[in-house]
Amino acid sequence: MIDKLTRFTKTITRRSKALFADGGTVQDGGDESALLPRPSGAFFGSLPFWLPPFLLMGFFVYGAIGWNFVISLTETSGFGAVDYSQLDGEQYTRALGDPTFIEATTNTFGLLVAFTTVCLGIGLLLAILMDRKLRFDNGFRTIYLLPMSLSFVVTAQFWLWMYNYNNGLINSITSTLGLGRYRWISDPELVLPAVVFALIWQFSGYAMVVYLAGLRAIPTDHYEAARTDGATTFGLYRRVIIPQLKGATISAAVVLMVFALKAFDFLYSLTGSYIPPEGSDILATMMVRQAFRLNNQAYAAAIGIMLFVLAIAVIAPYLTYQHKQGEL
Amino acid sequence: MTQQSTHDLRRRTYLKGIGFAGTAVLTGLSGCTGGSDSSGGASLELLHGWSGGDGQAAFDSMLEGFEAKHTDIDVNAKAIGGGGNTSLDARINTRLTNQNPPGSWTEWPGKNLEQFTSADLLADIGESVWSNNGMQNAYLDGPKQAATSGGSFVCVPTNIHRINNLFYNTAVIETAGVDLSNITTPTSLVAALETVSENTDAVGMAHSTKSPWTTLQLWATVFLGQAGAAAYDAFISGNGDRAAVADAFKTVAAYSEQFPEDASTIGWKEANTMLVEGAAGFFHQGDWAVGAYGPEFAFESEWNHVAFPGTKGQYALNMDAWVFPREGPSSEAAKQWLQYVGTKDAQVRFNTKKGSVPPRTDVSTEKFGPFQAAQMSSLQDSELQPPSIAHGLGVTPEVLTKLKQAVGAFSFTKGSADETAQAFMDVFN
């Protein structure tokens, strides 16, 4: 059977000429250069490997973004074909003069910054605690990471119960502490922090895992050397350990920011409609509302492009950093 | 070494296998989508939002009746549920933008259809559908008006849900000592709600403010009862009286003091459960709420209803209708379907299961339960059938979205009532 298989492979794979049915070792006598990319033929030789994904990604992702950009320059609304005859930036000026857009942008940015920073802080703290070789640390790790595996549809309903005025856990805690009860979802001042808190609960476990991997990669000598030099625990982490977690911080931050931009699902599930609770409208919910409820396709496309620019602006520092490190 | 190489070989073979399988699946799929046209009889694609519960049972029963009559038509019905038609609307939107409409689909009739008729996407079925089966005479003016656009019929309503109901838990009301005959206006209900919360453990009125439509619907009913049908009509035509709109919001604000305290995190179904459990005295909602009242919570003995105070003799409409697209792929089959959904048979099949009432007034109440039968006679006796605001009969989708946003910002205080009234006025400007 194995022989048969090998023979079959031989006929279709040129390189398998070098395979022996018994050993599978590569016979590289004088043929080594064929296996390594030759500088001159490298471009054409590598075409079959990168061209198909490049075309697919280019067409379906970047092509779609480009098309979306073109639509954002039109005046399309309602049903029917897009009229490309007149392209201008009117939808963008409309957005800048629309108080809903300004509010949604502020909320999106606030959510992004608050969620990412607090998540990273809690993640780092948990990771440092986890790294102290606790008993049952695997169990704790799973517990902290578990909320991330839940879908937003589930967590949104879960947090509606948590924030219930009469019997929600959050209000039970605040009233026991003598802080009183709050209408977390219907108070426009409180709803965004409440949503951010729910998202932090869901994703700080992820930050913890990334940091934990970073911490485990730091050689023990660093700890020992710092101790020998008389560093306190706080000084050890502040001056030696945390600076070495820069890479982990940046990669975790980028993923968390992307999650923050996707908070649409959570807000949609909170109310079951495209109109999130007053005070929590973000660009994503506004875009979907404009596109699918009000049929303002061009305006929705413009909001989408601006959300995309915001996402790029958020990721740019990471890309620059990676580039400087020579990893890109 | 041998093991390693055979492992590699197997892996490649698997990968190749997966590749071939993927291609085969794709080919199969494209065969499916392309193949539907080649079947012998006419095919008809129907899109609707009844993907579960009583809605699904109602649609299935109606479809069964159609298929029994039209064995030559191959019906391809797709239920796109979720979020109160949100997903269905998005799908229809995309299909129409791509000039690929289904044979027929469900919509709220009335001004909600303006988005399509203004783009000339629906065709006149006055002759081909409405002239059959005595439909013209069997429908009341309100539903007929909702089914037309610019004087011509473009859809067929199949069911009516009433909006202006005030449900109550009889035990709670009796314990509280509320006399219903004293409640003749929306404002006089406030005192009754207070009596309930003073004399019992129940809250005055169950209500959910989780999403804005429930409060918009409550406001519209209060407005109808307080300002009258003429003011209601003026409002939906864009000539509303700001002071009257604000007054209705002030009444809603007064009700809100008797809402459950967790109104903002519960849905309307949970609010409905409060009525069933005796945790609330009154509840305003469309008559779909009755679907949750099982045999242990019996009509008349455990719960009952009156027309919302001030709206007696009116039947505030929420309807679903099947529309007829101008450029539809199977217009003959679609006309057959539309004719069928306008018949007594279809409407009995659908409405007995859905809990709504037939728009046709010549349907016998025999197969309906006591509550539905009572609603049917209320409909027949009604002088006016005002179109719903929260369910798109009276306003365009754009206006509806803006009204919902304005209601979302309403904070249930008298001060906020004036601001929200102004926002409502601005929606039409």
Side-chain angles (χ1 to χ4, degrees):
Chain A
M1 181 63 196
I2 294 163
D3 283 350
K4 235 189 211 169
L5 207 62
T6 317
R7 251 179 276 134
F8 172 63
T9 322
K10 264 187 196 168
T11 57
I12 55 162
T13 319
R14 194 158 45 86
R15 289 216 181 124
S16 64
K17 276 180 198 161
L19 285 171
F20 279 117
D22 61 358
T25 44
V26 175
Q27 272 228 328
D28 48 8
D31 208 20
E32 197 176 19
S33 57
L35 292 172
L36 297 169
R38 274 171 304 186
S40 56
F43 182 75
F44 290 105
S46 63
L47 265 183
F49 299 96
W50 62 262
L51 191 64
F54 176 81
L55 286 179
L56 289 172
M57 282 291 283
F59 185 73
F60 287 112
V61 178
Y62 301 102
I65 293 171
W67 190 12
N68 188 63
F69 177 65
V70 176
I71 290 176
S72 77
L73 298 177
T74 67
E75 319 258 286
T76 313
S77 69
F79 304 103
V82 182
D83 175 16
Y84 295 104
S85 59
Q86 198 197 345
L87 301 181
D88 54 37
E90 200 195 308
Q91 303 300 336
Y92 293 89
T93 38
R94 174 182 171 183
L96 296 176
D98 183 349
T100 317
F101 176 80
I102 304 295
E103 198 202 319
T105 313
T106 323
N107 287 345
T108 308
F109 199 74
L111 182 122
L112 199 73
V113 173
F115 165 71
T116 314
T117 353
V118 181
C119 236
L120 289 176
I122 293 178
L124 179 62
L125 198 69
L126 288 176
I128 290 174
L129 292 175
M130 281 294 158
D131 203 35
R132 313 292 294 183
K133 309 276 184 299
L134 299 171
R135 266 185 97 181
F136 311 121
D137 63 337
N138 274 335
F140 280 118
R141 214 162 54 209
T142 313
I143 289 170
Y144 287 131
L145 193 60
L146 203 61
M148 197 187 152
S149 68
L150 298 173
S151 102
F152 275 137
V153 181
V154 176
T155 55
Q157 183 56 55
F158 171 77
W159 280 96
L160 273 179
W161 288 328
M162 293 287 274
Y163 286 134
N164 186 299
Y165 187 86
N166 289 334
N167 44 28
L169 187 65
I170 303 293
N171 276 322
S172 301
I173 293 172
T174 54
S175 66
T176 312
L177 296 177
L179 299 170
R181 292 175 183 271
Y182 298 92
R183 292 197 160 78
W184 296 100
I185 299 297
S186 59
D187 188 334
E189 303 282 313
L190 292 179
V191 61
L192 200 62
V195 167
V196 169
F197 186 79
L199 293 175
I200 289 169
W201 167 81
Q202 195 168 0
F203 289 107
S204 52
Y206 169 76
M208 176 201 73
V209 167
V210 174
Y211 275 128
L212 199 55
L215 284 173
R216 298 261 156 102
I218 297 171
T220 331
D221 328 5
H222 293 207
Y223 293 86
E224 286 163 3
R227 286 285 183 215
T228 318
D229 284 348
T232 59
T233 308
F234 180 72
L236 166 75
Y237 277 103
R238 202 173 88 95
R239 304 224 177 258
V240 182
I241 306 303
I242 295 177
Q244 295 197 54
L245 294 172
K246 210 196 280 169
T249 306
I250 289 174
S251 58
V254 168
V255 173
L256 290 173
M257 283 172 183
V258 172
F259 276 123
L261 292 173
K262 293 201 297 190
F264 169 83
D265 315 30
F266 188 85
L267 291 169
Y268 176 75
S269 308
L270 268 188
T271 62
S273 80
Y274 292 154
I275 302 169
E278 174 72 7
S280 64
D281 201 11
I282 59 171
L283 285 177
T285 46
M286 186 190 177
M287 174 180 72
V288 174
R289 198 166 60 234
Q290 288 292 342
F292 295 107
R293 183 60 75 186
L294 300 173
N295 280 0
N296 293 326
Q297 287 94 342
Y299 190 35
I303 297 169
I305 290 293
M306 285 185 276
L307 183 57
F308 179 66
V309 169
L310 188 66
I312 291 291
V314 159
I315 295 176
Y318 170 68
L319 296 179
T320 324
Y321 171 79
Q322 289 279 49
H323 191 70
K324 275 192 192 145
Q325 299 283 309
E327 288 165 13
L328 202 74
Chain B
M1 224 26 184
T2 315
Q3 228 172 358
Q4 178 66 44
S5 105
T6 50
H7 182 79
D8 273 350
L9 286 172
R10 271 197 207 138
R11 193 175 60 88
R12 285 184 187 181
T13 322
Y14 284 143
L15 281 177
K16 241 182 277 167
I18 290 167
F20 283 129
T23 319
V25 167
L26 279 177
T27 323
L29 278 178
S30 57
C32 269
T33 48
S36 57
D37 298 334
S38 59
S39 62
S43 77
L44 174 64
E45 188 187 15
L46 300 174
L47 263 55
H48 61 88
W50 296 301
S51 57
D54 49 8
Q56 186 184 20
F59 175 79
D60 287 349
S61 169
M62 186 162 74
L63 181 61
E64 203 176 281
F66 177 75
E67 281 176 333
K69 283 203 173 77
H70 300 274
T71 45
D72 55 324
I73 298 175
D74 180 21
V75 179
N76 174 15
K78 290 173 184 154
I80 301 160
N85 282 358
T86 300
S87 318
L88 176 66
D89 289 350
R91 176 74 66 90
I92 292 296
N93 194 320
T94 316
R95 292 278 300 257
L96 290 175
T97 307
N98 295 338
Q99 272 113 49
N100 176 28
S104 181
W105 72 93
T106 51
E107 282 290 341
W108 294 330
K111 289 224 178 94
N112 178 51
L113 295 180
E114 245 175 45
Q115 52 179 323
F116 310 115
T117 51
S118 63
D120 206 20
L121 292 167
L122 302 181
D124 185 0
I125 47 169
E127 185 55 39
S128 55
V129 175
W130 278 82
S131 63
N132 298 288
N133 302 318
M135 276 173 70
Q136 295 261 21
N137 294 328
Y139 278 68
L140 290 171
D141 284 344
K144 261 201 286 201
Q145 209 182 338
T148 55
S149 165
S152 46
F153 287 101
V154 291
C155 66
V156 180
T158 44
N159 61 311
I160 297 180
H161 278 298
R162 188 181 194 177
I163 308 271
N164 57 330
N165 313 284
L166 183 63
F167 297 104
Y168 57 91
N169 184 310
T170 50
V172 175
I173 298 304
E174 267 168 39
T175 317
V178 172
D179 183 4
L180 285 160
S181 60
N182 291 337
I183 309 170
T184 49
T185 61
T187 39
S188 59
L189 179 60
V190 178
L193 299 182
E194 282 165 2
T195 314
V196 170
S197 64
E198 275 163 25
N199 298 352
T200 68
D201 292 336
V203 297
M205 184 184 241
H207 189 66
S208 146
T209 61
K210 197 178 91 166
S211 40
W213 69 268
T214 44
T215 305
L216 177 60
Q217 184 178 268
L218 177 62
W219 168 83
T221 313
V222 168
F223 183 67
L224 182 65
Q226 215 163 266
Y232 186 89
D233 268 347
F235 175 77
I236 57 181
S237 331
N239 306 313
D241 174 10
R242 192 180 161 283
V245 170
D247 282 346
F249 270 115
K250 282 173 190 158
T251 307
V252 174
Y255 292 167
S256 77
E257 284 167 26
Q258 311 303 328
F259 286 169
E261 283 175 317
D262 57 359
S264 62
T265 51
I266 61 171
W268 75 267
K269 289 181 182 173
E270 286 157 291
N272 199 18
T273 309
M274 292 183 73
L275 187 82
V276 176
E277 290 173 346
F282 290 94
F283 183 46
H284 163 259
Q285 193 50 265
D287 58 13
W288 49 85
V290 174
Y293 304 162
E296 67 283 357
F297 190 58
F299 178 46
E300 287 179 329
S301 56
E302 265 106 340
W303 68 272
N304 211 327
H305 76 116
V306 287
F308 199 86
T311 66
K312 209 173 170 198
Q314 306 194 37
Y315 205 94
L317 298 176
N318 171 33
M319 293 192 288
D320 293 297
W322 291 91
V323 301
F324 183 69
R326 184 177 295 282
E327 306 285 337
S330 42
S331 53
E332 280 317 305
K335 278 177 194 162
Q336 296 295 322
W337 170 255
L338 291 169
Q339 276 182 21
Y340 176 71
V341 299
T343 61
K344 286 185 203 171
D345 175 50
Q347 295 192 2
V348 169
R349 280 168 174 273
F350 189 85
N351 291 290
T352 44
K353 294 226 162 55
K354 181 76 170 67
S356 42
V357 304
R360 290 185 74 111
T361 49
D362 57 354
V363 174
S364 152
T365 56
E366 210 173 284
K367 288 188 178 158
F368 293 86
F371 171 67
Q372 275 175 298
Q375 292 287 70
M376 283 164 82
S377 64
S378 299
L379 174 66
Q380 277 170 21
D381 299 341
S382 65
E383 295 145 25
L384 290 169
Q385 300 93 33
S388 79
I389 290 176
H391 303 275
L393 265 65
V395 290
T396 61
E398 191 183 355
V399 167
L400 179 55
T401 304
K402 288 180 179 166
L403 292 177
K404 280 185 188 168
Q405 277 177 285
V407 166
F410 177 51
S411 61
F412 297 93
T413 59
K414 293 211 159 119
S416 174
D418 284 314
E419 282 168 33
T420 313
Q422 189 53 50
F424 266 38
M425 294 294 110
D426 295 343
V427 164
F428 290 95
N429 292 335

